[in-house]
Amino acid sequence: PPGPPVYVDLAYLPGSWSARTVDEEFFRRVRSLCYVVSGDDHLKEGVLRALLDALLAGKHQWGTDIQVTLIPTFDSLVMHEWYQETHDRQQELGITVLGSNSTVAMQDETFPACKVEF
């Protein structure tokens, strides 16, 4: 239902089939300092470009200078292409895509990670 936007510090964007529900209206209404794009699966890859374009369109409607950080948790050709093709637009809108080559080692496993502080 219509209503005022909701402001949060961190929002996880849904993965799998639920990723299809994230559109321009979602980003107009859920205004976050950081959006985490998780879910490295073939279903997410199929809707990733539409989700990222929706972020640009929704953020354009905010009308404020709030800086937004996008945090992908997986490597993706679609993400790389979108980043390159829309980099100027991202800068205009105050969107930063956080990339990380950091690795965390815990017990017997290692995995990519990044640290987000508020």
Side-chain angles (χ1 to χ4, degrees):
V6 175
Y7 293 88
V8 297
D9 290 330
L10 181 70
Y12 283 87
L13 301 177
S16 222
W17 288 105
S18 297
R20 297 175 190 275
T21 65
V22 180
D23 57 8
E24 180 180 340
E25 182 65 19
F26 174 88
F27 289 108
R28 272 191 277 203
R29 308 249 343 256
V30 180
R31 299 180 181 187
S32 182
L33 296 176
C34 297
Y35 292 102
V36 177
V37 182
S38 61
D40 185 13
D41 60 42
H42 68 283
L43 298 174
K44 181 72 157 248
E45 192 76 13
V47 297
L48 185 57
R49 180 62 190 239
L51 184 146
L52 296 170
D53 288 341
L55 169 61
L56 295 176
K59 175 73 166 71
H60 176 75
Q61 302 298 318
W62 291 14
T64 61
D65 287 337
I66 297 174
Q67 183 69 33
V68 170
T69 303
L70 182 66
I71 307 168
T73 63
F74 58 96
D75 196 22
S76 161
L77 180 59
V78 172
M79 176 70 75
H80 286 276
E81 290 172 352
W82 176 84
Y83 179 82
Q84 293 296 323
E85 293 170 11
T86 65
H87 188 259
D88 291 340
R89 185 78 175 129
Q90 294 166 43
Q91 288 184 319
E92 288 173 18
L93 295 172
I95 298 172
T96 301
V97 179
L98 186 64
S100 175
N101 291 330
S102 299
T103 302
V104 173
M106 293 180 67
Q107 297 172 0
D108 294 334
E109 64 178 318
T110 59
F111 48 90
C114 67
K115 181 179 178 182
V116 179
E117 294 186 73
F118 297 97

